[in-house]
């Protein structure tokens, strides 16, 4: 095959399978791994694919940021079910880092009466839930993201670099078996990475509609998580591909 034919083959394979790794592409095309990487780099430059660790996935419309007012009631029954399941992960006396988002907001509502917890968050809406609640609350500080209430920037990053917590409850915009967890902006991905580094354990908490999607900036691979809490509507093939430690919240 010439280079154009190889790249067409790769696109067709991804259109069918959704993903492919470098080893299988090199074998199928009878070329070196370096040749496959060059082909993938060119296809990515043309916005045809997204390269992942060891392979590629088909380019889809990337999941972008949604204003809080639009997502507050979206998938609310699933978010409440996930919150009930995730709240059980919070052990007595824990220091818990809670990501910004509407699913994590539902979790905090269930933790408000526990006087043995310290909760750290980068979300002003979550912090407002804790003004008259029993847990000790620490907010990261930083610049407020318009229409969302999430905090980011150097002040938030500095605090996160200087703490250690027992548990991080991570929210996600998009989850993909190969591409991992991705966020709409590099800044948001950076904050999530620092949160993970600060925690002994990280659990992903998100509804099943977020799966098999990709966004702009990579946060982490799914193998870096302690486990995933999602709702029971998740498809069997997605569950098997994502993580062996899944907690499904009944709807």
């Amino acid at each position: 095959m010439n280079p154009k034919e190889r790249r067409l083959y790769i696109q067709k394979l991804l259109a069918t399978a959704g993903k492919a790794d470098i080893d299988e592409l090199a074998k199928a095309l009878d070329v070196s791994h370096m040749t496959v990487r060059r082909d993938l780099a060119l296809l990515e430059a043309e916005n045809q694919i997204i390269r992942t660790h060891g392979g590629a996935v088909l380019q889809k419309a990337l999941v972008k940021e949604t204003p809080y007012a639009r997502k507050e009631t979206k998938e609310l029954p699933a978010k409440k079910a996930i919150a009930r399941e995730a709240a059980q992960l919070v052990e007595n006396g824990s220091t818990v880092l809670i990501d910004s988002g509407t699913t994590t907001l539902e979790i905090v509502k269930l933790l408000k009466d526990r006087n043995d917890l310290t909760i750290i968050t980068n979300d002003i809406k979550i912090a407002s839930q804790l003004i008259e609640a029993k847990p000790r609350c620490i907010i990261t500080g930083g610049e407020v993201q318009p229409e969302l209430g999430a905090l980011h920037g150097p002040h938030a990053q500095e605090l996160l670099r200087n703490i250690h917590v027992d548990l991080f409850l991570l929210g996600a915009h998009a989850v993909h078996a190969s591409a991992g967890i991705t966020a709409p902006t590099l800044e948001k991905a950076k904050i999530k990475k620092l949160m993970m580094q600060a925690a002994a354990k990280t659990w992903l908490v998100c509804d099943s509609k977020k799966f098999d999607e990709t966004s702009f900036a990579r946060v982490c691979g799914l193998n870096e998580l302690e486990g995933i809490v999602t709702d029971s509507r998740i498809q069997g093939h997605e569950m098997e591909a994502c993580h062996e430690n899944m907690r499904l919240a009944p709807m």
Side-chain angles (χ1 to χ4, degrees), residues 34-201:
M34 185 61 69
T35 297
V36 172
R37 288 191 180 94
R38 283 197 296 266
D39 286 338
L40 295 180
L42 190 97
L43 288 169
E44 185 174 51
E46 295 174 349
N47 292 318
Q48 300 297 317
I49 67 162
I50 299 170
R51 283 192 292 174
T52 63
H53 180 68
V57 296
L58 191 66
Q59 175 72 287
K60 297 168 63 177
L62 296 179
V63 176
K64 298 180 180 179
E65 199 84 73
T66 304
Y68 187 90
R70 284 175 51 196
K71 66 180 181 179
E72 185 175 11
T73 57
K74 190 176 182 180
E75 299 294 327
L76 188 56
K79 291 173 183 178
K80 288 182 176 291
I82 291 164
R84 290 191 294 271
E85 191 71 27
Q88 299 176 39
L89 298 170
V90 181
E91 297 180 358
N92 294 339
S94 294
T95 299
V96 189
L97 186 54
I98 298 187
D99 201 0
S100 61
T102 50
T103 301
T104 46
L105 177 66
E106 294 302 322
I107 298 171
V108 169
K109 290 176 181 178
L110 299 179
L111 302 178
K112 289 171 64 172
D113 293 328
R114 292 182 56 173
N115 60 11
D116 60 326
L117 302 178
T118 296
I119 295 175
I120 305 166
T121 185
N122 65 324
D123 189 307
I124 59 173
K125 290 184 178 291
I126 287 176
S128 70
Q129 287 285 325
L130 298 170
I131 291 174
E132 297 180 358
K134 292 182 179 180
R136 179 189 182 205
C137 177
I138 299 171
I139 197 164
T140 62
E143 182 180 348
V144 179
Q145 188 176 6
E147 298 186 309
L148 286 161
L151 295 163
H152 61 92
H155 293 291
Q157 293 179 21
E158 182 64 18
L159 181 136
L160 292 170
R161 289 191 183 99
N162 287 282
I163 62 171
H164 179 77
V165 303
D166 301 304
L167 175 66
F168 172 39
L169 297 177
L170 166 67
H173 295 79
V175 184
H176 194 283
S178 298
I181 297 170
T182 48
T185 66
L186 291 169
E187 177 63 38
K188 186 148 283 190
K190 176 67 173 178
I191 292 291
K192 291 176 186 290
K193 288 177 182 178
L194 288 171
M195 287 175 152
M196 289 186 69
Q197 291 169 17
K201 295 179 181 180

